[in-house]
Amino acid sequence: GDSVTQMEGPVTLSEEAFLTINCTYTATGYPSLFWYVQYPGEGLQLLLKATKADDKGSNKGFEATYRKETTSFHLEKGSVQVSDSAVYFCALSDRAGGTSYGKLTFGQGTILTVHP
Amino acid sequence: SQTIHQWPATLVQPVGSPLSLECTVEGTSNPNLYWYRQAAGRGLQLLFYSVGIGQISSEVPQNLSASRPQDRQFILSSKKLLLSDSGFYLCAWTGKGSNQPQHFGDGTRLSIL
């Protein structure tokens, strides 16, 4: 079945440091890929997405490129801020056969803490 | 624009009591709807999804049930809560068609005593 593997956290960085959170996936079809962010005590918010190979999703300074050859969708940001402290989830939606009903498969989440 | 509402935001219930969590979506029609549970410090587990009124699919065997009495209403229920039902419950919706992201509510934090 489909699966998503994220780098284990927690990740602790100083403000303005470079961020990478690794995400790799296994899917039978041609998935769409997503990054979600969850701030403390809140629901998940869509951060960015990519729907086909070599697509780059970007939002709020975050970027991720859909790499089919390495089955990866790593999240990056050049300079993190304290306000970026949150839990980040990588997810995929497998469109194989059109029967996925929009279901997402999530990674386990990576806790990011940014210190001033 | 579309919005999704969950309530209550926080709930404390004794073991063995019933449960009803409600989720409604505004600004769209015929959405796919989802209930997730997030245990403390862990990822999301899909509990139920629905592609239409009265259509419920269960992903994992458990003590909970779901219903969709109206197009944009999704309810999570239990007749008798267990300690293991504690967690953060999230409702989400997505439009029909491919490449649609899911949009989440703010969640309900359920504590069982």
Side-chain angles (χ1 to χ4, degrees), chain A residues 25-88:
Chain A
Y25 67 89
T26 302
T28 54
Y30 301 94
S32 294
L33 301 173
F34 307 88
W35 276 101
Y36 283 85
V37 59
Q38 183 179 32
Y39 298 103
E42 299 183 9
L44 275 70
Q45 300 175 25
L46 178 67
L47 183 59
L48 52 85
K49 72 172 186 178
T51 59
K52 60 182 187 297
D54 299 326
D55 267 3
K56 176 185 283 188
S58 61
N59 185 26
K60 299 181 181 180
F62 291 89
E63 293 183 339
T65 301
Y66 189 140
R67 300 288 188 198
K68 188 177 179 182
E69 64 276 14
T70 55
T71 61
S72 64
F73 192 54
H74 304 322
L75 182 69
E76 296 182 336
K77 186 174 185 182
S79 177
V80 293
Q81 305 300 312
V82 172
S83 57
D84 293 326
S85 298
V87 183
Y88 291 81

Side-chain angles (χ1 to χ4, degrees), chain B residues 4-82:
Chain B
I4 179 169
H5 303 280
Q6 278 187 249
W7 67 92
T10 305
L11 189 60
V12 180
Q13 292 283 99
V15 170
S17 63
L19 173 73
S20 180
L21 302 182
E22 191 161 342
C23 172
T24 58
V25 181
E26 296 177 358
T28 188
S29 60
N30 196 26
N32 290 340
L33 296 170
Y34 310 86
W35 276 112
Y36 291 88
R37 176 169 56 207
Q38 185 178 29
R42 304 178 72 175
L44 284 81
Q45 179 184 39
L46 179 62
L47 303 176
F48 302 95
Y49 69 93
S50 170
V51 299
I53 296 174
Q55 300 178 62
I56 308 296
S57 296
S58 175
E59 288 290 290
V60 293
Q62 59 201 303
N63 183 43
L64 303 169
S65 62
S67 61
R68 186 170 176 176
Q70 300 181 44
D71 181 46
R72 291 169 290 173
Q73 184 184 30
F74 204 25
I75 298 172
L76 184 69
S77 303
S78 174
K79 292 182 179 178
K80 283 188 177 182
L81 285 168
L82 306 172

